[in-house]
PDB file of all heavy atoms in Angstrom:
ATOM      1  N   THR U  74       0.859  -1.199  -0.023  1.00 98.00           N
ATOM      2  CA  THR U  74      -0.018  -0.010  -0.034  1.00 98.00           C
ATOM      3  C   THR U  74       0.895   1.219   0.022  1.00 98.00           C
ATOM      4  O   THR U  74       1.943   1.255   0.686  1.00 98.00           O
ATOM      5  CB  THR U  74      -0.928   0.052   1.237  1.00 98.00           C
ATOM      6  OG1 THR U  74      -0.137  -0.098   2.415  1.00 98.00           O
ATOM      7  CG2 THR U  74      -1.957  -1.108   1.178  1.00 98.00           C
ATOM      8  N   THR U  75       0.421   2.252  -0.696  1.00 98.00           N
ATOM      9  CA  THR U  75       1.137   3.519  -0.765  1.00 98.00           C
ATOM     10  C   THR U  75       0.145   4.658  -0.658  1.00 98.00           C
ATOM     11  O   THR U  75      -0.897   4.635  -1.337  1.00 98.00           O
ATOM     12  CB  THR U  75       1.947   3.594  -2.066  1.00 98.00           C
ATOM     13  OG1 THR U  75       2.804   2.568  -2.271  1.00 98.00           O
ATOM     14  CG2 THR U  75       2.776   4.938  -2.110  1.00 98.00           C
ATOM     15  N   VAL U  76       0.433   5.645   0.164  1.00 98.00           N
ATOM     16  CA  VAL U  76      -0.413   6.827   0.243  1.00 98.00           C
ATOM     17  C   VAL U  76       0.568   8.068   0.288  1.00 98.00           C
ATOM     18  O   VAL U  76       1.708   7.947   0.767  1.00 98.00           O
ATOM     19  CB  VAL U  76      -1.300   6.839   1.517  1.00 98.00           C
ATOM     20  CG1 VAL U  76      -2.371   5.781   1.416  1.00 98.00           C
ATOM     21  CG2 VAL U  76      -0.509   6.720   2.754  1.00 98.00           C
ATOM     22  N   GLY U  77       0.117   9.161  -0.292  1.00 98.00           N
ATOM     23  CA  GLY U  77       0.980  10.311  -0.292  1.00 98.00           C
ATOM     24  C   GLY U  77       0.228  11.533  -0.821  1.00 98.00           C
ATOM     25  O   GLY U  77      -0.989  11.438  -1.187  1.00 98.00           O
ATOM     26  N   GLY U  78       0.923  12.615  -0.876  1.00 98.00           N
ATOM     27  CA  GLY U  78       0.296  13.845  -1.363  1.00 98.00           C
ATOM     28  C   GLY U  78       1.337  14.884  -1.592  1.00 98.00           C
ATOM     29  O   GLY U  78       2.530  14.748  -1.180  1.00 98.00           O
ATOM     30  N   GLN U  79       0.919  15.938  -2.261  1.00 97.00           N
ATOM     31  CA  GLN U  79       1.866  17.052  -2.437  1.00 97.00           C
ATOM     32  C   GLN U  79       1.077  18.396  -2.599  1.00 97.00           C
ATOM     33  O   GLN U  79      -0.105  18.399  -3.011  1.00 97.00           O
ATOM     34  CB  GLN U  79       2.787  16.856  -3.669  1.00 97.00           C
ATOM     35  CG  GLN U  79       2.102  16.923  -5.000  1.00 97.00           C
ATOM     36  CD  GLN U  79       3.118  16.746  -6.129  1.00 97.00           C
ATOM     37  OE1 GLN U  79       4.077  16.005  -6.002  1.00 97.00           O
ATOM     38  NE2 GLN U  79       2.888  17.481  -7.191  1.00 97.00           N
ATOM     39  N   LEU U  80       1.781  19.488  -2.256  1.00 97.00           N
ATOM     40  CA  LEU U  80       1.198  20.810  -2.418  1.00 97.00           C
ATOM     41  C   LEU U  80       2.205  21.721  -3.069  1.00 97.00           C
ATOM     42  O   LEU U  80       3.359  21.755  -2.669  1.00 97.00           O
ATOM     43  CB  LEU U  80       0.821  21.414  -1.028  1.00 97.00           C
ATOM     44  CG  LEU U  80       0.412  22.839  -1.052  1.00 97.00           C
ATOM     45  CD1 LEU U  80      -0.910  23.078  -1.812  1.00 97.00           C
ATOM     46  CD2 LEU U  80       0.250  23.342   0.390  1.00 97.00           C
ATOM     47  N   GLY U  81       1.792  22.396  -4.156  1.00 96.00           N
ATOM     48  CA  GLY U  81       2.703  23.333  -4.830  1.00 96.00           C
ATOM     49  C   GLY U  81       2.044  24.703  -4.890  1.00 96.00           C
ATOM     50  O   GLY U  81       0.856  24.837  -5.235  1.00 96.00           O
ATOM     51  N   VAL U  82       2.817  25.723  -4.597  1.00 94.00           N
ATOM     52  CA  VAL U  82       2.353  27.127  -4.651  1.00 94.00           C
ATOM     53  C   VAL U  82       3.304  27.897  -5.527  1.00 94.00           C
ATOM     54  O   VAL U  82       4.573  27.757  -5.365  1.00 94.00           O
ATOM     55  CB  VAL U  82       2.282  27.720  -3.248  1.00 94.00           C
ATOM     56  CG1 VAL U  82       1.746  29.195  -3.330  1.00 94.00           C
ATOM     57  CG2 VAL U  82       1.366  26.918  -2.364  1.00 94.00           C
ATOM     58  N   ARG U  83       2.814  28.695  -6.388  1.00 89.00           N
ATOM     59  CA  ARG U  83       3.656  29.498  -7.293  1.00 89.00           C
ATOM     60  C   ARG U  83       3.023  30.848  -7.544  1.00 89.00           C
ATOM     61  O   ARG U  83       1.857  31.087  -7.262  1.00 89.00           O
ATOM     62  CB  ARG U  83       3.811  28.752  -8.674  1.00 89.00           C
ATOM     63  CG  ARG U  83       2.480  28.624  -9.357  1.00 89.00           C
ATOM     64  CD  ARG U  83       2.502  27.543 -10.445  1.00 89.00           C
ATOM     65  NE  ARG U  83       1.255  27.495 -11.184  1.00 89.00           N
ATOM     66  CZ  ARG U  83       0.115  26.949 -10.732  1.00 89.00           C
ATOM     67  NH1 ARG U  83       0.126  26.418  -9.526  1.00 89.00           N
ATOM     68  NH2 ARG U  83      -0.951  26.989 -11.453  1.00 89.00           N
ATOM     69  N   GLY U  84       3.808  31.776  -8.047  1.00 88.00           N
ATOM     70  CA  GLY U  84       3.310  33.124  -8.323  1.00 88.00           C
ATOM     71  C   GLY U  84       4.212  33.925  -9.208  1.00 88.00           C
ATOM     72  O   GLY U  84       5.371  33.503  -9.483  1.00 88.00           O
ATOM     73  N   THR U  85       3.792  35.127  -9.581  1.00 85.00           N
ATOM     74  CA  THR U  85       4.640  35.959 -10.417  1.00 85.00           C
ATOM     75  C   THR U  85       4.495  37.363  -9.862  1.00 85.00           C
ATOM     76  O   THR U  85       3.507  37.790  -9.275  1.00 85.00           O
ATOM     77  CB  THR U  85       4.202  35.905 -11.838  1.00 85.00           C
ATOM     78  OG1 THR U  85       2.843  36.338 -12.003  1.00 85.00           O
ATOM     79  CG2 THR U  85       4.324  34.561 -12.496  1.00 85.00           C
ATOM     80  N   LEU U  86       5.516  38.139 -10.154  1.00 81.00           N
ATOM     81  CA  LEU U  86       5.529  39.577  -9.895  1.00 81.00           C
ATOM     82  C   LEU U  86       5.949  40.300 -11.109  1.00 81.00           C
ATOM     83  O   LEU U  86       7.122  40.417 -11.481  1.00 81.00           O
ATOM     84  CB  LEU U  86       6.506  39.891  -8.707  1.00 81.00           C
ATOM     85  CG  LEU U  86       6.631  41.357  -8.278  1.00 81.00           C
ATOM     86  CD1 LEU U  86       5.236  41.823  -7.781  1.00 81.00           C
ATOM     87  CD2 LEU U  86       7.657  41.482  -7.191  1.00 81.00           C
ATOM     88  N   GLY U  87       4.928  40.793 -11.857  1.00 79.00           N
ATOM     89  CA  GLY U  87       5.209  41.355 -13.160  1.00 79.00           C
ATOM     90  C   GLY U  87       5.686  40.284 -14.108  1.00 79.00           C
ATOM     91  O   GLY U  87       5.067  39.288 -14.297  1.00 79.00           O
ATOM     92  N   ALA U  88       6.911  40.516 -14.627  1.00 80.00           N
ATOM     93  CA  ALA U  88       7.457  39.525 -15.554  1.00 80.00           C
ATOM     94  C   ALA U  88       8.400  38.578 -14.869  1.00 80.00           C
ATOM     95  O   ALA U  88       9.058  37.755 -15.483  1.00 80.00           O
ATOM     96  CB  ALA U  88       8.244  40.250 -16.701  1.00 80.00           C
ATOM     97  N   HIS U  89       8.423  38.617 -13.458  1.00 80.00           N
ATOM     98  CA  HIS U  89       9.359  37.823 -12.793  1.00 80.00           C
ATOM     99  C   HIS U  89       8.625  36.705 -12.033  1.00 80.00           C
ATOM    100  O   HIS U  89       7.506  36.890 -11.508  1.00 80.00           O
ATOM    101  CB  HIS U  89      10.124  38.682 -11.765  1.00 80.00           C
ATOM    102  CG  HIS U  89      10.855  39.814 -12.424  1.00 80.00           C
ATOM    103  ND1 HIS U  89      12.106  39.665 -13.034  1.00 80.00           N
ATOM    104  CD2 HIS U  89      10.549  41.145 -12.510  1.00 80.00           C
ATOM    105  CE1 HIS U  89      12.453  40.800 -13.508  1.00 80.00           C
ATOM    106  NE2 HIS U  89      11.590  41.757 -13.223  1.00 80.00           N
ATOM    107  N   GLN U  90       9.272  35.596 -11.953  1.00 80.00           N
ATOM    108  CA  GLN U  90       8.732  34.451 -11.224  1.00 80.00           C
ATOM    109  C   GLN U  90       9.026  34.536  -9.741  1.00 80.00           C
ATOM    110  O   GLN U  90      10.192  34.688  -9.312  1.00 80.00           O
ATOM    111  CB  GLN U  90       9.330  33.139 -11.775  1.00 80.00           C
ATOM    112  CG  GLN U  90       8.834  31.869 -11.093  1.00 80.00           C
ATOM    113  CD  GLN U  90       7.412  31.487 -11.576  1.00 80.00           C
ATOM    114  OE1 GLN U  90       7.064  31.721 -12.739  1.00 80.00           O
ATOM    115  NE2 GLN U  90       6.632  30.920 -10.699  1.00 80.00           N
ATOM    116  N   VAL U  91       7.977  34.524  -8.898  1.00 80.00           N
ATOM    117  CA  VAL U  91       8.160  34.468  -7.486  1.00 80.00           C
ATOM    118  C   VAL U  91       8.625  33.078  -7.050  1.00 80.00           C
ATOM    119  O   VAL U  91       8.130  32.076  -7.603  1.00 80.00           O
ATOM    120  CB  VAL U  91       6.823  34.835  -6.769  1.00 80.00           C
ATOM    121  CG1 VAL U  91       6.981  34.721  -5.227  1.00 80.00           C
ATOM    122  CG2 VAL U  91       6.418  36.282  -7.126  1.00 80.00           C
ATOM    123  N   PRO U  92       9.565  32.934  -6.165  1.00 83.00           N
ATOM    124  CA  PRO U  92       9.998  31.592  -5.742  1.00 83.00           C
ATOM    125  C   PRO U  92       8.828  30.680  -5.391  1.00 83.00           C
ATOM    126  O   PRO U  92       7.900  31.188  -4.676  1.00 83.00           O
ATOM    127  CB  PRO U  92      10.932  31.871  -4.515  1.00 83.00           C
ATOM    128  CG  PRO U  92      11.470  33.223  -4.825  1.00 83.00           C
ATOM    129  CD  PRO U  92      10.364  33.992  -5.480  1.00 83.00           C
ATOM    130  N   ALA U  93       8.820  29.467  -5.829  1.00 89.00           N
ATOM    131  CA  ALA U  93       7.678  28.596  -5.627  1.00 89.00           C
ATOM    132  C   ALA U  93       8.006  27.678  -4.449  1.00 89.00           C
ATOM    133  O   ALA U  93       9.128  27.509  -4.056  1.00 89.00           O
ATOM    134  CB  ALA U  93       7.466  27.784  -6.851  1.00 89.00           C
ATOM    135  N   LEU U  94       6.951  27.086  -3.877  1.00 93.00           N
ATOM    136  CA  LEU U  94       7.058  26.124  -2.775  1.00 93.00           C
ATOM    137  C   LEU U  94       6.448  24.820  -3.185  1.00 93.00           C
ATOM    138  O   LEU U  94       5.311  24.804  -3.664  1.00 93.00           O
ATOM    139  CB  LEU U  94       6.311  26.741  -1.541  1.00 93.00           C
ATOM    140  CG  LEU U  94       6.169  25.792  -0.324  1.00 93.00           C
ATOM    141  CD1 LEU U  94       7.538  25.523   0.270  1.00 93.00           C
ATOM    142  CD2 LEU U  94       5.244  26.385   0.709  1.00 93.00           C
ATOM    143  N   LEU U  95       7.153  23.728  -2.895  1.00 95.00           N
ATOM    144  CA  LEU U  95       6.660  22.387  -3.076  1.00 95.00           C
ATOM    145  C   LEU U  95       6.877  21.551  -1.879  1.00 95.00           C
ATOM    146  O   LEU U  95       8.011  21.426  -1.378  1.00 95.00           O
ATOM    147  CB  LEU U  95       7.330  21.755  -4.300  1.00 95.00           C
ATOM    148  CG  LEU U  95       6.965  20.278  -4.561  1.00 95.00           C
ATOM    149  CD1 LEU U  95       5.476  20.148  -4.889  1.00 95.00           C
ATOM    150  CD2 LEU U  95       7.847  19.676  -5.664  1.00 95.00           C
ATOM    151  N   VAL U  96       5.785  20.975  -1.356  1.00 97.00           N
ATOM    152  CA  VAL U  96       5.887  20.112  -0.193  1.00 97.00           C
ATOM    153  C   VAL U  96       5.221  18.765  -0.560  1.00 97.00           C
ATOM    154  O   VAL U  96       4.102  18.772  -1.080  1.00 97.00           O
ATOM    155  CB  VAL U  96       5.106  20.711   1.028  1.00 97.00           C
ATOM    156  CG1 VAL U  96       5.172  19.740   2.224  1.00 97.00           C
ATOM    157  CG2 VAL U  96       5.697  22.051   1.394  1.00 97.00           C
ATOM    158  N   ALA U  97       5.957  17.683  -0.378  1.00 98.00           N
ATOM    159  CA  ALA U  97       5.452  16.377  -0.783  1.00 98.00           C
ATOM    160  C   ALA U  97       5.880  15.365   0.211  1.00 98.00           C
ATOM    161  O   ALA U  97       6.931  15.436   0.891  1.00 98.00           O
ATOM    162  CB  ALA U  97       5.990  16.008  -2.182  1.00 98.00           C
ATOM    163  N   GLY U  98       5.093  14.270   0.370  1.00 98.00           N
ATOM    164  CA  GLY U  98       5.374  13.215   1.227  1.00 98.00           C
ATOM    165  C   GLY U  98       4.610  11.955   0.887  1.00 98.00           C
ATOM    166  O   GLY U  98       3.549  11.989   0.218  1.00 98.00           O
TER     167      GLY U  98
END
């Protein structure tokens, strides 16, 4: 059996990419 999940958050500021966050387990 395997269970898991992940959450990713991303964004932009004008033409620039805001640092993203990825949490997974």
Side-chain angles (χ1 to χ4, degrees):
T74 54
T75 304
V76 293
Q79 68 177 37
L80 171 66
V82 180
R83 63 198 184 282
T85 60
L86 181 60
H89 303 282
Q90 181 75 33
V91 176
L94 172 68
L95 174 64
V96 179

